[in-house]
Amino acid sequence: MYNEEKYIGQCLESIIKHGQGFVHQIIVVDNQSSDKSTTIVQQFPWVNLLSETIKWPTFARQLGYQHATWNILAFLDADTRPTKQRFIKVLKQFGENDQLWFLSWPYSFYDMSLFRQFISRF
């Protein structure tokens, strides 16, 4: 998370609402935000908030990975709104294929115009 005060609260609310029974841990890594992002995350006491001092998404994701305690790890950006169906599909794919190491899904970008959302699918 880097300066995501506009999106992080809705992202966490979506994970909590739709991830019941699927999500065992939520880690948010702050990548030196200067806005109110960390204050918003602190309103969710069950979320583990970490801080990465090197400003780069790769380092933030690595720190989150190092603190993860579950066998399936999902990297989400703050403007992501996962649905219950996404959680079900992910677990189904991992359950059906023990050789699966990585899985990705299509995204809808809430912070883009409808036209840009449409063309980003191609």
Side-chain angles (χ1 to χ4, degrees), residues 53-118:
T53 57
I54 302 172
K55 281 181 144 180
W56 198 258
T58 304
F59 292 100
R61 291 184 192 279
Q62 182 65 25
L63 181 63
Y65 168 77
Q66 291 170 343
H67 285 83
T69 59
W70 198 246
N71 57 351
I72 296 177
L73 179 65
F75 291 109
L76 302 175
D77 292 327
D79 62 351
T80 305
R81 306 289 183 278
T83 63
K84 184 175 182 176
Q85 290 73 29
R86 288 286 179 214
F87 289 113
I88 291 169
K89 286 181 180 183
V90 167
L91 291 177
K92 181 179 181 202
Q93 291 296 315
F94 278 102
E96 292 177 351
N97 185 350
D98 62 356
Q99 299 297 309
L100 186 63
W101 283 54
F102 177 83
L103 181 65
S104 182
W105 67 60
Y107 291 93
S108 295
F109 297 97
Y110 296 90
D111 55 343
M112 280 188 192
S113 70
L114 290 176
F115 176 73
R116 290 207 48 197
Q117 288 180 41
F118 175 75

Side-chain angles (χ1 to χ4, degrees), residues 17-71:
K17 178 181 178 181
H18 300 296
Q20 291 181 13
F22 305 107
V23 176
H24 300 275
Q25 179 183 32
I26 300 173
I27 299 170
V28 174
V29 180
D30 177 43
N31 211 190
Q32 302 301 302
S33 296
S34 58
D35 64 358
K36 296 179 183 176
S37 296
T38 56
T39 303
I40 293 168
V41 174
Q42 290 168 342
Q43 295 173 5
F44 298 86
W46 49 90
V47 173
N48 186 4
L49 177 61
L50 305 175
S51 179
E52 173 55 60
T53 57
I54 302 172
K55 281 181 144 180
W56 198 258
T58 304
F59 292 100
R61 291 184 192 279
Q62 182 65 25
L63 181 63
Y65 168 77
Q66 291 170 343
H67 285 83
T69 59
W70 198 246
N71 57 351

